[in-house]
Amino acid sequence: MQRVVLLVVLVTAIWCLEPLPCAHAYNDFPTTATVTTTTTTKIKGLQLYDALDAVNFLNEGQDSANYSYAIQPHGNLFYTEPLNVTSGWGVSWDTTTLLYPYRVNTSSGPVAPCSSMAAVPGDRPGGDLTAVPMATLNATQCGIMCCNNIACVAWVMAKAPGNFFSCVVGQPCCYLKQAITAQVNTPGIVNALIKRPELSVETPVTGIRSAVPLGGVACGSIELRADGTFQEWTIINQSPGGSPKFGVVDDAILAVRTRGHASNSVRAAAVRTRPPRGLPGVASLRYRGSYPVTRLDIGDPQSPVEMAVFGYSVFKPGDLNRSVTPAIAFTLNAYNPSNEVQDVSLMLSLPFSNEPDTIRAPSPGNKNVLRKVTITGGAAECMHLCRSTKSCASWSLTSGTCTLQSDVPPNNYKPGSVSGVMGMWDLHDNSKTVHSESYRAPSPINLNRPGRGPMAGNISMWASGQSQDPAVSLNFTSSYGTGDDLTSLFRQFEAGVWPTSYNATAIHGAAVTTVTLPPGMRATLTIVFAWYFPYRDHVGPSGNQPTQALVLGNWYNNLFRNSSQVASTLLPKLTSVVEDILAMQAVYYQATMPESLRDYLVNGMSHIRSAIYTADGTWRQWEAYDCVDIDSVHNDYQRHMPYMIYFPETEKQKLLAHGAKQLSNGMIQEELSGGCIGPTPAWESAGGRRMGDVTTIFIAQVWQFYAWANDLTFLRYIYPRVRAAVQWQVSVSPNGLPEHLINTYDILALDQYPLCTFNSVLHLMAMRAAVHLASVMNDTATVKLARESFDKGSILIDQQLWYNNSDGKPGYYQSYNGVSTQHAVMVDALYGQVVAYTLGLGSVLPLDKMRAHLMAELKYNDGPYGLIVQTGREPPTNKQDNAIWMGGSQDWSALALRVFDTQSDFDYADLLRPSEKGLNHWRMWLRDPWNTHGLVASNGYTDLQGGLPLCTAHYGFHMVLWHIPFSLSRQTAYLFNSSLSFAPVTPVPYNLPLLLPNTLGYLTAAYTQPGEVRYTVALVFGSLRVASLSVSSSVIHNVALAAGQQVSWTTTE
């Protein structure tokens, strides 16, 4: 009976929101409420060793030194971000080939080598991977170059008709192709296909294809992968608005060493399963990731010490400035279970003055080239030539030619080449031993790069250590060194010696920290790696050349003076940083939700890698690095929920920017900078398409800010933009629903039809929000306009889009109208209703029809990897429809939890299975959760294997999963009315998140005795002050909580 009463109450509350919410019709059951202060919501007082050891993980992968990997290209994609970027400066990072690492099954036996088929006359335009200059036209050499590039599937050889990549017009050139395009008969040109061996491969372990991005918020990031490699470097202002990322920096290594005092036995190894340059590695690494923490457990039978390496960065909900810390802490947790005293050492070595497989191509006309020299000594010789040449700022080495330049051109990927930027290492001798519970080296090692370009700035490495037992002092020491040869540096580390002098212009800089660990003792060794590159650049309005770039800078310029200050600030806060991470993660990891959802709620914030936070305080974000528009409203809102909760000021700022760019007719423009693949548009060049999920979402998000944050000042400021947006939205909906508008499902081309359900439901939701906003502002004209449009649209959607199955089976909302022979079913068609429920706007469609529609989606669209986006349109296997969009399965579960009765219709766990299927496909089948793409191919998707990524990497579409916790708890916030309510669909006992702007906590329920339930609302971050707090119709009043406090009360059922 209570459940029926509650549904009535919720509907009543929604429709009373004109012009102000009426009183909630909750039942005041007998309660006993107390407010208590607690420390259980946030772990405090731990030593760093225990804090890191307490980090939970819901994924893992164990890489072995015996494994081997190969990259296999998969073609016929729309676009996706590659590992190595060849497109140059100010261009999207996209390719039509998926270059996916696979573990090779070595038991399959030897395979034939790659070979080129016979060359034939003709060209194959398009599909270019790169172009390589040749001394002469030599088909055998061109074929070998293609075989040596794993992504190459064909080649074309000719005298270059124009400058392209590194090829010069009129000179012999080998064009490597990543796609097999149609052959065209062109005189003087030959081409051939490549014959590659068929490898027996399998999906690699978790942590090989992607890993947690480490680095502060909007500071750039690096991934520490399961094999110990450092990949995906964007810390030096790399983005599609400037220079390409570094895919792999192979000579960047962590290393560990142990030495037994009695036996003098030494074991040193790189923390790598397949280390470079013949260095000794470890037998295995067990990878686990929990944003923003990576853990690598070292499997080494030869080591007498148990060791785990952690990489982590600062992330604190509600504190954006603290989170903007450009640094990574690498901490070794070491435990000595042996009977012998052991010296344990950690080394971090970075080759920051050397960039393998990159080139810094001279500026047009070679005007900044100082000299070109033929050398035999490799990268170190070229770098030292630059050091000894006046005004030399950068260098590149290709095929023995060392090019010295007075400027620093952008880096670009070129296999076999090496380049670098001049800099000077700065360090001090501080190797004396300190006997203490904790240790911090007196100073760091720094690399300083002069100038004012995006590559100018500095890095620091600063060593520290701490005993796990605060009552026990240990011997700590640290040292720094430089060198041109990684092998030599490692051998010195292995021998336990370090040079007394150093080369200020060396390629490598290294930091070492050591602890003497008695038997049975535990300690941490930490090296903080900090960076400071203040001159972030971006494509400017004058042209798409580096010399025409805008200098945007970074927000961290306002917080720190240099990398040394970054490291110095972070070192004493390491434990509190981990405590904040533990507290944030516990909100989700302890929740009554499927493991896949809990894992993604934590690790989904890896999406923040693409954020931009400029020196003047402008916050922006790429749609993706391969689709380079900035802050498209529809894409932003799919991923906006955690940003709204953790850093709401970023979402508010973007709303204001979209309002400022509103067109004179009231339409909100799609994006703050336009474009997708190809050249990156200029900064703040707003534009876009006429869309069904842009102006509607703008209206909805303004309502969300008012309802969740009670920000009346903001509402009053932006309301004129809302009113104009409502007028435009109604104008494109002459009969009550929007007509011929495209939406985020643009590949489906739904704008060719008069109406589509996706746009229609969003329109109804937006009109409901508009009525409430206009009521608050006493704007009766807009209330009338929006209500009339809602009423007309409600009738029209039933008339034009509801389809009654002719076979007597339940009907559904067809994807579009206008084609009488087609009744397509589109997954996520009711997305607008998902948003409406989360924002407390109630049902905009009849419950019975929503239930029938969701069942139709399962019946017609379910597939092995998730819900297929659309069925029922001819031809049935067309490329556009036969794909899985990563938001569809998540929104299905979010909506199903709202419209089905979890006691009589379905168990709530059953309603979560579509979400689990979609997420587990990435977690457990692809094992690539930190690089979730926007689309996945379904079986029969042309020639791409079903289940593989199809389009746009590191995407945010799946982040609509954040609606699911709200559907589970039915949290409804009307903070302008000082009320917060929950009506969980999960049975008692439960633990569910409390999520509001700048505020995180949890709601728990447990039986104290039969028929009596105890509710607890606890805060972990932020504060909460409401006049009415209710759970399942049990209400208490005048609640005020701060972080670390909770309120508990009991009630009878």
Side-chain angles (χ1 to χ4, degrees), residues 957-1016:
F957 207 165
H958 65 285
M959 293 172 70
V960 294
L961 61 83
W962 280 78
H963 290 283
I964 297 177
F966 290 88
S967 294
L968 286 167
S969 68
R970 296 198 177 179
Q971 174 186 311
T972 302
Y974 299 136
L975 294 194
F976 58 87
N977 194 36
S978 195
S979 68
L980 178 65
S981 64
F982 301 87
V985 300
T986 51
V988 177
Y990 57 73
N991 183 322
L992 294 169
L994 183 161
L995 304 169
L996 287 168
N998 286 323
T999 301
L1000 273 76
Y1002 55 82
L1003 162 70
T1004 64
Y1007 286 110
T1008 56
Q1009 60 185 22
E1012 184 176 273
V1013 179
R1014 182 176 181 83
Y1015 298 119
T1016 298

Side-chain angles (χ1 to χ4, degrees), residues 626-644:
D626 50 32
C627 187
V628 294
D629 67 80
I630 290 179
D631 289 314
S632 54
V633 174
H634 52 108
N635 296 122
D636 266 10
Y637 202 74
Q638 294 154 9
R639 65 200 189 192
H640 92 291
M641 198 70 78
Y643 295 90
M644 181 78 177

Side-chain angles (χ1 to χ4, degrees), residues 39 42-46 579-580:
T39 57
K42 186 172 179 181
I43 301 173
K44 285 184 176 291
L46 296 177
E579 288 171 349
D580 288 336

Side-chain angles (χ1 to χ4, degrees), residues 1 84 143 219 262 267 289 321 402 413 526 613 664 761 847 856 864 875 888 931 1019:
M1 181 61 69
N84 294 303
C219 299
R267 168 61 174 160
N321 275 356
C402 174
Y413 177 70
T526 298
Y613 199 13
S664 59
V761 182
L847 283 173
N931 183 16
L1019 288 196

Side-chain angles (χ1 to χ4, degrees), residues 519-589:
M521 296 303 298
R522 293 173 169 86
T524 60
L525 296 171
T526 298
I527 299 172
V528 167
F529 167 42
W531 57 90
Y532 187 84
F533 295 99
Y535 306 110
R536 182 187 184 102
D537 61 341
H538 193 96
V539 176
S542 301
N544 202 32
Q545 295 296 324
T547 54
Q548 300 166 314
L550 292 175
V551 178
L552 301 177
N554 289 301
W555 180 250
Y556 63 65
N557 303 2
N558 302 289
L559 307 175
F560 306 100
R561 297 186 304 275
N562 50 47
S563 58
S564 178
Q565 186 190 17
V566 175
S568 176
T569 302
L570 178 56
L571 273 171
K573 299 178 181 177
L574 291 175
T575 303
S576 66
V577 165
V578 179
E579 288 171 349
D580 288 336
I581 293 169
L582 287 169
M584 181 268 291
Q585 293 177 348
V587 170
Y588 309 106
Y589 282 158

Side-chain angles (χ1 to χ4, degrees), residues 100-102 203-206 209 920-929 931 933 936 946-949:
Y100 231 12
Y102 284 86
T203 302
V205 301
T206 297
R209 287 178 169 169
N920 281 334
H921 178 67
W922 283 94
R923 296 175 64 242
M924 304 175 73
W925 196 79
L926 294 174
R927 297 173 186 162
D928 197 11
N931 183 16
H933 287 58
V936 172
L948 285 179

